[in-house]
């Protein structure tokens, strides 16, 4: 049976995270270790679900470039928070941005559509390290939620949704609000 692409990304990201089938970006010595997170566990299921939903073929090069864009973005956003990144947010908190960037690249969004996808991605940011600290199963949900959220944000933008204009640095943007 087939499911919507965002739901496939959710299920496959959760399953991949449960099985520890992912890489880990350990951060940077410059800002302290632990600022990276599990990155591709959110991106690969989202990219594959997107590719399967496209009307035409996608090259391996296009897939690799899209994954590189999203995979570079998530750790950079997290490391840019410096020590504020240790407030309890984790990689999947920023995952919707990376997933939206990956999908935008695969779908060849223009700048305005990509910006709208980022605005919608910010509205979806969630996930914290409490489940890791508590040792609960919710830790695996964060990757799936981030994958689904980024997929939904990109799809909304593709259909004309106008997302927040300054999701990172606006008065209530990611850095002023989440990372203070």
């Amino acid at each position: 049976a087939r499911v919507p692409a965002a739901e496939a990304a959710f299920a496959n990201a959760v399953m991949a995270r449960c099985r520890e089938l992912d890489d880990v970006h350990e951060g940077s010595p410059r800002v302290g270790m632990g600022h990276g997170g599990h990155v591709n566990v959110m991106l690969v299921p989202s990219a594959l679900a997107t590719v399967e939903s496209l009307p035409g073929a996608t090259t391996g090069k296009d897939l690799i470039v899209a994954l590189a864009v999203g995979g570079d973005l998530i750790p950079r956003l997290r490391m840019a928070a410096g020590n504020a990144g240790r407030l309890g947010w984790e990689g999947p908190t920023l995952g919707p941005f990376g997933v939206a960037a990956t999908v935008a690249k695969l779908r060849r969004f223009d700048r305005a559509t990509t910006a709208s996808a980022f605005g919608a991605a910010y509205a979806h940011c969630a996930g914290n390290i409490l489940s890791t600290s508590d040792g609960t199963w919710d830790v695996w949900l964060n990757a799936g939620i981030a994958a689904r959220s980024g997929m939904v944000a990109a799809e909304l933008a593709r259909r004309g949704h106008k997302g927040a204009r300054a999701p990172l640095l606006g008065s209530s943007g990611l850095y002023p609000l989440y990372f203070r």
Side-chain angles (χ1 to χ4, degrees):
R2 295 182 61 90
V3 298
E7 297 308 313
F10 171 80
N12 288 320
V14 170
M15 286 190 288
R17 184 67 178 89
C18 286
R19 301 289 309 243
E20 298 288 338
L21 297 174
D22 60 329
D23 57 337
V24 177
H25 183 274
E26 295 293 349
S28 163
R30 184 178 61 78
V31 295
M33 302 309 281
H35 283 75
H38 299 263
V39 177
N40 283 302
V41 72
M42 300 167 277
L43 300 179
V44 172
S46 302
L48 295 177
T50 299
V51 167
E52 287 183 0
S53 71
L54 293 174
T58 300
T59 68
K61 178 182 176 184
D62 287 343
L63 179 63
I64 290 168
V65 168
L67 289 168
V69 167
D72 185 59
L73 184 61
I74 294 170
R76 284 183 185 272
L77 289 172
R78 190 147 185 235
M79 289 187 302
N83 284 329
R86 297 184 185 277
L87 292 173
W89 308 112
E90 65 170 3
T93 306
L94 305 170
F97 287 109
V99 171
T102 298
V103 173
K105 189 71 174 162
L106 287 169
R107 288 193 168 275
R108 297 176 173 18
F109 285 1
D110 61 22
R111 182 177 288 225
T113 307
T114 301
S116 285
F118 274 40
Y122 178 51
H124 285 93
C125 288
N128 56 66
I129 62 167
L130 184 60
S131 54
T132 302
S133 303
D134 287 351
T136 64
W137 295 0
D138 292 343
V139 68
W140 302 317
L141 289 178
N142 290 337
I145 291 167
R148 179 197 289 143
S149 296
M151 296 280 293
V152 168
E155 182 61 18
L156 287 170
R158 187 180 75 82
R159 293 176 181 237
H161 173 83
K162 301 298 181 204
R165 285 181 257 147
L168 299 179
L169 299 174
S171 62
S172 295
L174 179 74
Y175 291 96
L177 186 63
Y178 279 54
F179 299 129
R180 306 203 195 298

